[in-house]
Every structure is written in C-alpha cells, then in structure tokens.
C-alpha cells in the first residue's frame, strides 16, 4: 500500500512570499489532516477534512493560511504571506474514517519550510 | 483535549528494556491512550494503543494502571534503530494530538 505522499520535501522562501504544499493521501482515506511541527516540538493540528469538507480549522491562522481538498482526494496548504515563525515541517496525515483508532492514521514525511 | 506530560529525554543501551512513562491526569472516561514514534525527517508512526490494563504487540507493551492517570510504554531489548522521539497521546476522538515527546537515545 502506498503511503501518504507530500511535496515538495524542502522549500526555502523569503518572508512575505507565498508557498504551497501538496498532499496525496492513501487511496480511499476519507479524512485528511495538516499538522505544523516546529523544531523541538510535537506536531500541532492545523486543519482536518472529511472528504472535501472542513471539519475543524480552529487552529489554522486564517489571515495567512488556507487549505483546500478538492474532490475529496488531494489537498493543498498555502501560506500567504509567510512569516519567519512559519518555519517548520508541515505534515499531512490521513485515515479511513473519522472515528478510526490510532493505528488507522498514516503520516507523510512532511515538507520542511524555511522562511528567511 | 487532555494534556500529557513526559520526560524530555532518556538514554539507554542496546539490549536493555526501556520504559517511558506518560502522565495524563485529566484523562476522560472515553479517552484512549496512544503512543507514536517519530524518526528525524519522517512523520509520526503509530506504535500501540490501549484503554486499560496491558496491551502487547510485536514491538511494544503498554501498561495502564487502574486509575488511568498514567501509562508506560515498554520497549523490550532496544537497538540503535529505536533512537527516536516517542509521543504519548490521549483523547476520545482518536485524532492524534502531541505534546513535546520523549527523545530516546540508544547507545551501543
């Protein structure tokens, strides 16, 4: 079974520029999550989708972050404009259903963003 | 979401058993306890999950006392490849939530 695919693996941008990350979940997984992991900390949930609808985006900084999941498959996370504090690894995860146990969640390898 | 507390770091040697304890004093009745492992440049990976008493799988054991306010992840006979960050998570919705984790370093 293919895992969760993310691209790019690394990205360096200047502050105030925009950037987009892409995630392709495991085939058939209805739920998709974006996490932000700052160096030395655990991942923090930003947004969760059920199919193509947003379930919870309460921790997403909506003034600069946006995310979409068209057709309930792939998803993109965008930052515009980026700030220095956005430097982090952005992880995508997916699971078959909304109420799965922990073993149902699969994470991608993430995109490491550096804002200079 | 319930908050968890773990040691920041631990050191061990190859072949030893490692026990990592997590405190979750505010755990709710319906919450499960889940442990994840994360290697550098990778996303977290599910290790084990439990509700009470003891759960064992091919890689680890999870011990949960009757009051469920803590849990202990036990890794038998660790190897160098077990060097990673281990996260304890508790919650009723199963959505992975993470604290700072425990950085385990296994020495030769």
């Amino acid at each position: 079974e293919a895992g969760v695919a993310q691209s790019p693996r690394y990205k360096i941008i200047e502050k105030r520029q925009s950037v987009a990350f892409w995630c392709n979940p495991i085939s058939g997984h209805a739920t998709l999550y974006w996490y932000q992991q700052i160096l030395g900390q655990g991942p923090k949930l930003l947004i969760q989708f059920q199919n193509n609808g947003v379930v919870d985006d309460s921790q997403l900084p909506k003034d600069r972050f946006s995310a979409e999941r068209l057709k309930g498959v792939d998803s993109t996370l965008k930052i515009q404009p980026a700030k220095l504090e956005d430097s982090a690894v952005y992880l995508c995860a997916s699971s078959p259903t909304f109420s799965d146990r922990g073993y149902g969640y699969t994470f991608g390898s993430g995109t490491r963003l550096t804002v200079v | 979401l319930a908050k968890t507390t773990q040691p920041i770091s631990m050191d061990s040697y190859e072949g030893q058993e490692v026990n990592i304890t997590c405190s979750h004093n505010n755990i709710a009745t319906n919450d499960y306890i889940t442990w994840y492992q994360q290697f550098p440049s990778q996303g977290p990976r599910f290790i084990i999950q439990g509700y009470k008493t003891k759960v064992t799988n091919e890689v680890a054991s999870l011990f949960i006392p009757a009051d469920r306010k803590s849990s202990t992840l036990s890794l038998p006979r660790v190897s160098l490849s077990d060097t990673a960050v281990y996260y304890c998570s508790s919650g009723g919705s199963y959505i992975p939530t993470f604290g700072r984790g425990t950085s385990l370093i296994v020495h030769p």
Side-chain angles (χ1 to χ4, degrees):
Chain A
E1 177 182 74
V4 175
Q6 291 189 247
S7 67
R9 286 284 280 140
Y10 305 93
K11 190 73 176 181
I12 301 175
I13 63 172
E14 296 183 348
K15 59 183 178 182
R16 291 187 290 274
Q17 285 188 323
S18 62
V19 64
F21 314 124
W22 173 82
C23 172
N24 181 234
I26 290 176
S27 178
H29 278 196
T31 54
L32 185 147
Y33 310 82
W34 283 101
Y35 286 79
Q36 178 193 57
Q37 185 171 24
I38 295 173
L39 185 64
Q41 299 182 19
K44 183 184 92 170
L45 180 65
L46 293 176
I47 188 170
Q48 53 173 308
F49 291 92
Q50 175 75 2
N51 296 310
N52 62 344
V54 176
V55 176
D56 182 5
D57 61 357
S58 57
Q59 298 197 78
L60 187 73
K62 300 181 188 62
D63 58 334
R64 297 182 300 106
F65 286 64
S66 65
E68 61 180 7
R69 190 183 184 197
L70 299 177
K71 301 180 181 179
V73 182
D74 294 4
S75 177
T76 56
L77 176 69
K78 297 178 181 178
I79 308 175
Q80 182 179 8
K83 293 185 177 181
L84 296 177
E85 58 261 37
D86 298 331
S87 294
V89 175
Y90 290 85
L91 295 161
C92 179
S94 70
S95 70
T97 66
F98 189 61
S99 60
D100 262 350
R101 298 289 181 87
Y103 49 74
Y105 291 83
T106 303
F107 284 80
S109 296
T111 295
R112 181 178 296 278
L113 173 67
T114 302
V115 183
V116 298
Chain B
L1 295 172
K3 182 177 179 179
T4 59
T5 304
Q6 306 173 233
I8 293 175
S9 63
M10 294 183 69
D11 288 87
S12 184
Y13 292 89
E14 283 189 293
Q16 290 189 334
E17 178 185 73
V18 171
N19 296 309
I20 306 174
T21 297
C22 175
S23 170
H24 26 81
N25 291 317
N26 297 322
I27 191 168
T29 303
N30 295 329
D31 288 352
Y32 276 74
I33 298 152
T34 311
W35 285 80
Y36 294 85
Q37 175 192 57
Q38 186 176 27
F39 297 114
S41 300
Q42 293 185 26
R45 182 177 71 101
F46 171 88
I47 300 176
I48 196 166
Q49 184 177 68
Y51 182 79
K52 61 181 180 179
T53 62
K54 177 183 176 182
V55 178
T56 298
N57 62 22
E58 63 276 7
V59 297
S61 294
L62 178 60
F63 299 92
I64 305 168
D67 66 5
R68 302 197 334 116
K69 294 184 182 299
S70 67
S71 61
T72 299
L73 174 72
S74 181
L75 305 172
R77 297 186 299 282
V78 293
S79 64
L80 297 178
S81 62
D82 292 316
T83 293
V85 178
Y86 292 82
Y87 295 97
C88 164
S89 172
S90 67
S93 67
Y94 312 133
I95 298 172
T97 58
F98 305 90
R100 287 183 174 268
T102 298
S103 176
L104 171 67
I105 298 176
V106 180
H107 303 275

